[in-house]
Amino acid sequence: MTLPESLSSRAVTDPDVKATYGIDESVGALAPDRYEVVRARDLGDVVDVLAHAQATGTPVVPQGARSGLAGGSVALDGGIVLSLEGLTTITELDAVEGIAVVQPGVINADLKAAAAAEGLFYPPDPASSAFCSIGGNVATNAGGLCCVKYGVTADYVRGLEVVLAGGEVIRTGHRTAKGVAGLDLTGLFVGSEGTLGVVTEVVTKLVPAPDPALTALATFDSLSAASDAIVALRRERHRPSLLELLDEPTLAAVQAIADYGFPTGCAAVLIVQADRPGHTAEDVQRYAALLEEAGATEVAVADDAQESEALLAGRRALHHALVAKGTHFIEDVCVPVRQLTDLITAGHEISARTGVEITMSGHGGDGNLHPSFFYDAGDDDSRHRAEEAFGELVKVALGMGGTITGEHGVGSLKARWLPDEVGAASIERQRAVKALFDPRGILNPGRVYWS
Ligand SMILES: Cc1cc2nc3c(=O)[nH]c(=O)nc-3n(C[C@H](O)[C@H](O)[C@H](O)COP(=O)(O)OP(=O)(O)OC[C@H]3O[C@@H](n4cnc5c(N)ncnc54)[C@H](O)[C@@H]3O)c2cc1C
């Protein structure tokens, strides 16, 4: 495939640099042999790529910071990777309206920092905040560590500018605090994983800044006690701003890379934070009391920001610890909170029966875990068994009324299970919507909807 003259100056030609745009963070991602990479410098470049792609029937993979875990931003054979990472301007930050207007390549942590400088807060907080982009967050409807109190990306998107297949530019939603005119196309694009259009501007809602969080860390000898604690904390009028769970195999993996002070031999650790302005000390003590009432064997409570960070450090190191442990698939199932214990127990049973090592950890307060399935990368049989175990746990989660993905998206890795979750009639309607926006099927084809 040849790019037109107008786009070739935006194309990446160095093979080594180009290779870095071929994959994302998903396990086993492989770049195809033939693809082009165009780094957009402005709206016009995006329009040109989508006009060319539509005219020639060329697949386009919109791409942010390539931190995706579902394989949604991996290059497609014969296609164009359209990188938005160079569009990094925060165009506007209005404390009175409580909004920021940003380009898609703005890094999540940079928007948080800009908001904080105005005494405001942009809550969506994926663990990848330091390196993922707002465009990618919008396209995956990213969650993260503080959803238990603040919700997900969709709760903070007021409006979008989107370039459609063919190059037409539309605006959705509104800038104002309220706005109910017409269908909610913003909601349609949020979480559409680059299959309906390319997001080129985002109007985000900002909220008043919380206080620096105080942390409590609790150790449990039984999963059911940890689960009781989560249920009790979710009933609180002033909900924790973070509620993370790590099971025993996860704690062992984290302790294997450095001493984060996690106990060994316990069933689970819960990490809880309070950030209510003027009440953090009071709330974290209240959470500690609830953790003890539920059966925690030990509870450590931070007095200041430094101790708080120290208690959270092991959770922050989790991704590195799991990578150091070995090659693994990462799950993203979400189940009703009360069924968390059953999900973890099912994971441990699958592990014992199949011999596949499985760690279970994640956003316990949301019922959203990231079970990881380890395998020997050089052994096809080992990989196959891990895949089977992965599929088994997806089915367990669906059987509990849960979902195949709480926040990472469907991408390529989960597409086969989407019909099991939403059903044939819904898939048919979703495909019809996709066809309305993308009649030639050039936008991230094969992702989300298995072809
Ligand atoms: C260590 C680590 C921790 C993580 N923790 C979390 C977490 O806590 N919560 C969470 O939700 N995710 C998490 N993730 C996953 C990932 O960071 C998120 O999915 C993130 O939203 C992806 O952003 P990105 O900019 O890297 O997008 P990419 O990976 O580049 O793209 C992701 C998807 O969005 C589409 N896309 C990107 N930009 C646009 C655009 N401008 N217009 C249209 N489509 C677009 C792509 O086509 C693709 O389908 C984690 C990842 C890592 C590596």
Side-chain angles (χ1 to χ4, degrees), residues 82-147:
L82 173 57
S83 171
L84 288 310
E85 71 179 357
L87 304 180
T88 57
T89 305
I90 298 177
T91 320
E92 195 183 329
L93 208 151
D94 187 328
V96 175
E97 294 296 336
I99 56 166
V101 181
V102 306
Q103 290 189 319
V106 170
I107 296 299
N108 177 295
D110 292 343
L111 175 56
K112 280 183 186 300
E118 298 291 329
L120 295 169
F121 184 40
Y122 176 67
D125 188 31
S128 51
S129 165
F131 50 88
C132 65
S133 74
I134 296 298
N137 293 170
V138 168
T140 57
N141 192 7
L145 277 69
C146 67
C147 304

Side-chain angles (χ1 to χ4, degrees), residues 62 64-68 72-73 127-128 133 136-137 139-140 143 193-194 199 319 407 444:
R66 307 188 291 284
S67 71
S73 52
S128 51
S133 74
N137 293 170
T140 57
E193 302 186 47
V199 174
H319 181 68
E407 56 181 22
N444 233 354

Side-chain angles (χ1 to χ4, degrees), residues 116-423:
E118 298 291 329
L120 295 169
F121 184 40
Y122 176 67
D125 188 31
S128 51
S129 165
F131 50 88
C132 65
S133 74
I134 296 298
N137 293 170
V138 168
T140 57
N141 192 7
L145 277 69
C146 67
C147 304
V148 63
K149 175 172 176 181
Y150 292 100
V152 297
T153 300
D155 298 314
Y156 297 89
V157 182
R158 281 201 185 159
L160 297 170
E161 177 185 80
V162 183
V163 184
L164 303 178
E168 190 182 355
V169 181
I170 63 165
R171 299 202 73 94
T172 72
H174 48 93
R175 290 168 52 98
T176 45
K178 294 161 120 181
V180 294
L183 291 180
D184 179 13
L185 293 187
T186 306
L188 187 61
F189 281 103
V190 175
S192 63
E193 302 186 47
T195 62
L196 298 181
V198 177
V199 174
T200 47
E201 188 174 271
V202 185
V203 182
T204 66
K205 182 172 89 172
L206 305 173
V207 297
D211 275 1
L214 286 179
T215 309
L217 185 148
T219 305
F220 290 87
D221 276 347
S222 83
L223 285 170
S224 62
S227 175
D228 288 348
I230 291 174
V231 169
L233 287 163
R234 279 188 60 99
R235 284 185 188 279
E236 276 297 281
R237 179 168 173 219
H238 301 296
R239 236 191 221 178
S241 53
L242 175 149
L243 182 39
E244 295 285 299
L245 178 145
L246 296 84
D247 75 344
E248 200 279 328
T250 308
L251 296 168
V254 175
Q255 281 297 105
I257 58 164
D259 185 3
Y260 286 98
F262 285 149
T264 48
C266 67
V269 154
L270 289 184
I271 305 176
V272 187
Q273 284 194 331
D275 72 350
R276 187 163 59 106
H279 298 274
T280 51
E282 175 196 331
D283 287 354
V284 80
Q285 289 298 342
R286 163 95 183 132
Y287 301 156
L290 288 173
L291 290 161
E292 272 167 12
E293 257 171 52
T297 49
E298 216 179 308
V299 183
V301 181
D303 288 327
D304 56 36
Q306 204 180 346
E307 278 180 27
S308 281
E309 262 314 296
L311 291 180
L312 196 59
R315 168 61 182 92
R316 291 208 189 280
L318 180 58
H319 181 68
H320 298 298
L322 297 181
V323 170
K325 183 172 166 62
T327 315
H328 58 280
F329 295 112
I330 304 176
E331 264 287 6
D332 176 36
V333 287
C334 188
V335 297
V337 175
R338 281 196 186 79
Q339 285 180 269
L340 207 57
T341 315
D342 295 341
L343 180 75
I344 298 173
T345 305
H348 292 164
E349 277 167 12
I350 293 170
S351 176
R353 179 162 38 78
T354 61
V356 174
E357 271 194 273
I358 305 176
T359 58
M360 309 275 280
S361 58
H363 316 302
D366 304 314
N368 178 201
L369 292 190
H370 299 310
S372 294
F373 299 73
F374 292 83
Y375 63 94
D376 176 350
D379 177 348
D380 285 348
D381 180 54
S382 161
R383 184 189 165 103
H384 178 68
R385 282 189 293 114
E387 270 171 358
E388 293 280 302
F390 183 101
E392 256 193 73
L393 199 66
V394 168
K395 287 193 178 125
V396 170
L398 286 176
M400 291 175 172
T403 172
I404 59 174
T405 174
E407 56 181 22
H408 294 164
V410 177
S412 331
L413 299 185
K414 299 271 178 65
R416 84 181 79 155
W417 289 293
L418 185 65
D420 292 342
E421 177 167 337
V422 303

